[in-house]
Amino acid sequence: MSSQSSSQNPSPAGRRPRVAVVFGGRSSEHAISVVTAGAVLRAIDRTAYDVLPIGITADGRWALTADDPERMAITGRALPSVEQLAESDTGSVLLPFEPANREVVYTEPGSVPKVLGEVDVVFPVLHGPYGEDGTLQGLLDLAGVPYVGSGVLASAVGMDKEYMKRVFTSFGLPVGPYTVIRPREWERDETAARKKIVDFAADHGWPVFVKPARAGSSFGITKVEDLAGLDEAIAEARRHDPKIIVESLLRGREIECGVLEFEDGPRASVPAEIPPPAAHDFYDFEAKYIDSAEGVVPAPLTDEQTRRVQELAVRAFEAASCEGLVRADFFLLDNGEFVINEINTMPGFTPISMYPRMWEASGVGYSELVDRLIRAALRRPTGLR
């Protein structure tokens, strides 16, 4: 599936395009974003691009960071952070806020601001709220700076599991049973909000999954077997997001498929299967990132099943108006039907992440994958499109 092409792109002064890799952020997925950034920084072709790493601390400060991928990895069970990589405890990076100016400025209290030069494209590898959810994309749209990945609408839809499912349903994509409890419902009548979940479980059966509506990396998710575990699961989900979603258990195989934007449109990768992790109740955070649960690439599917899940993945990409890339997650039910669980508009790029592994098995290696994403962003016009 790979088609080699030059990664040299035109830039204003005939120089190499400058890529700002933005990572970290205020969400609970901060550390995974740092790990992803390390892998992306390692893969970018430094003969084709200049690189500027910018980390966002857990409290929201934009920091100039070391370009040191080795320090961005998970070591044992210790997770990395932007604070560990920042060149200063007080310095801040300022993005331009007008389309005619793409110069990035670095400021330190009591010092003259330093111009770091122009940025031609941003590669945001932020996961979760305050970065993957359309907030950063809106900021970059205001500044007129191209960026890798989906725009404001698709990013917001991809983050909010309720509206994601509503969009998929409106486009005829199959989704599983779910119910949503919004913050105002908790505030108005907590007893009635809890009863809504109990009634859902009565209709669809236990166990159910209680999740934050706007989080990723399996943070805050609890598999609830009965009423005894419900209150603790609700509290855990609401610790990450005041809005929660409850989904019924779908019995089947977990299948993932990557979508990548090529010059002629989006294409799907070979799919992968996530087998049930032996030491975990489901594919949770520790299974993904600490214990390195292995996916099977390519998934052992029939040719017809492979074509079907690839078709559904591209349809999901188009339904949500995505750009650049998406990982689409499915259940292959015991009756042979596929149900889409969710999409991720900025999937993990860690060394064990499924998205790059699926594309490597499809003939697009990691470095080419990163290069294609940058070039797609540079081709794309800014503003409404």
Side-chain angles (χ1 to χ4, degrees), residues 206-343:
W206 300 92
V208 297
F209 287 90
V210 179
K211 304 179 178 183
R214 296 162 293 191
S217 294
S218 296
F219 278 110
I221 299 177
T222 306
K223 183 181 179 182
V224 184
E225 300 288 349
D226 51 39
L227 277 172
L230 183 58
D231 290 340
E232 185 178 348
I234 291 170
E236 173 61 14
R238 295 194 70 205
R239 192 167 68 82
H240 295 270
D241 187 350
K243 175 181 176 180
I244 70 170
I245 187 167
V246 180
E247 298 172 349
S248 64
L249 173 68
L250 296 177
R251 301 189 185 279
R253 299 159 61 187
E254 290 193 47
I255 306 294
E256 297 185 349
C257 190
V259 180
L260 178 64
E261 182 182 344
F262 284 74
E263 289 82 355
D264 59 352
R267 303 183 202 172
S269 70
V270 299
E273 180 168 6
I274 309 298
H280 300 266
D281 213 16
F282 61 97
Y283 194 43
D284 61 7
F285 176 84
E286 292 218 348
K288 287 180 181 178
Y289 298 109
I290 304 298
D291 295 335
S292 304
E294 286 292 326
V296 179
V297 186
L301 300 172
T302 66
D303 290 346
E304 181 181 350
Q305 289 172 329
T306 296
R307 285 193 296 271
R308 176 60 175 162
V309 76
Q310 288 174 327
E311 174 206 348
L312 289 171
V314 172
R315 282 177 58 190
F317 182 96
E318 299 280 26
S321 297
C322 295
E323 295 167 294
L325 71 165
V326 148
R327 192 194 71 233
D329 300 346
F330 298 86
F331 291 105
L332 175 55
L333 304 183
D334 294 341
N335 64 7
E337 295 297 318
F338 281 100
V339 169
I340 186 163
N341 183 38
E342 63 182 35
I343 58 171

Side-chain angles (χ1 to χ4, degrees), residues 11-332:
S11 54
R15 55 176 171 76
R16 289 193 298 264
R18 197 170 199 210
V19 182
V21 178
V22 180
F23 61 97
R26 294 163 53 192
S27 84
S28 53
E29 298 178 75
H30 177 102
I32 301 308
S33 174
V34 176
V35 176
T36 296
V40 169
L41 287 169
R42 194 179 292 113
I44 291 179
D45 182 358
R46 303 306 178 95
T47 67
Y49 303 103
D50 290 330
V51 178
L52 177 66
I54 300 173
I56 302 176
T57 63
D59 62 4
R61 178 173 62 92
W62 290 51
L64 193 61
T65 66
D67 185 1
D68 188 354
E70 301 307 316
R71 292 170 56 197
M72 299 181 179
I74 296 174
T75 306
R77 304 183 84 83
L79 302 176
S81 70
V82 168
E83 286 78 0
Q84 297 165 356
L85 298 160
E87 295 191 354
S88 163
D89 293 335
T90 56
S92 296
V93 175
L94 303 178
L95 289 183
F97 286 99
E98 49 189 69
N101 175 23
R102 290 186 180 177
E103 286 191 337
V104 175
V105 175
Y106 180 71
T107 66
E108 281 273 10
S111 300
V112 175
K114 178 183 177 182
V115 176
L116 300 178
E118 292 188 352
V119 165
D120 298 297
V121 62
V122 171
F123 200 132
V125 290
L126 295 144
H127 302 308
Y130 312 110
E132 189 184 350
D133 58 350
T135 50
L136 177 64
Q137 290 74 16
L139 176 67
L140 295 173
D141 281 341
L142 284 173
V145 179
Y147 52 89
V148 169
S150 291
V152 174
L153 174 64
S155 298
V157 167
M159 179 54 54
D160 191 311
K161 293 178 176 62
E162 176 193 2
Y163 287 99
M164 182 196 308
K165 291 176 187 293
R166 289 181 181 275
V167 168
F168 290 159
T169 300
S170 71
F171 278 82
L173 291 160
V175 302
Y178 70 96
T179 191
V180 174
I181 316 294
R182 298 186 181 88
R184 288 180 184 173
E185 293 180 77
W186 296 113
E187 294 161 9
R188 261 196 315 262
D189 189 338
E190 191 168 321
T191 301
R194 185 181 186 277
K195 184 177 183 299
K196 186 175 177 181
I197 300 174
V198 174
D199 290 346
F200 175 83
D203 290 340
H204 298 283
W206 300 92
V208 297
F209 287 90
V210 179
K211 304 179 178 183
R214 296 162 293 191
S217 294
S218 296
F219 278 110
I221 299 177
T222 306
K223 183 181 179 182
V224 184
E225 300 288 349
D226 51 39
L227 277 172
L230 183 58
D231 290 340
E232 185 178 348
I234 291 170
E236 173 61 14
R238 295 194 70 205
R239 192 167 68 82
H240 295 270
D241 187 350
K243 175 181 176 180
I244 70 170
I245 187 167
V246 180
E247 298 172 349
S248 64
L249 173 68
L250 296 177
R251 301 189 185 279
R253 299 159 61 187
E254 290 193 47
I255 306 294
E256 297 185 349
C257 190
V259 180
L260 178 64
E261 182 182 344
F262 284 74
E263 289 82 355
D264 59 352
R267 303 183 202 172
S269 70
V270 299
E273 180 168 6
I274 309 298
H280 300 266
D281 213 16
F282 61 97
Y283 194 43
D284 61 7
F285 176 84
E286 292 218 348
K288 287 180 181 178
Y289 298 109
I290 304 298
D291 295 335
S292 304
E294 286 292 326
V296 179
V297 186
L301 300 172
T302 66
D303 290 346
E304 181 181 350
Q305 289 172 329
T306 296
R307 285 193 296 271
R308 176 60 175 162
V309 76
Q310 288 174 327
E311 174 206 348
L312 289 171
V314 172
R315 282 177 58 190
F317 182 96
E318 299 280 26
S321 297
C322 295
E323 295 167 294
L325 71 165
V326 148
R327 192 194 71 233
D329 300 346
F330 298 86
F331 291 105
L332 175 55

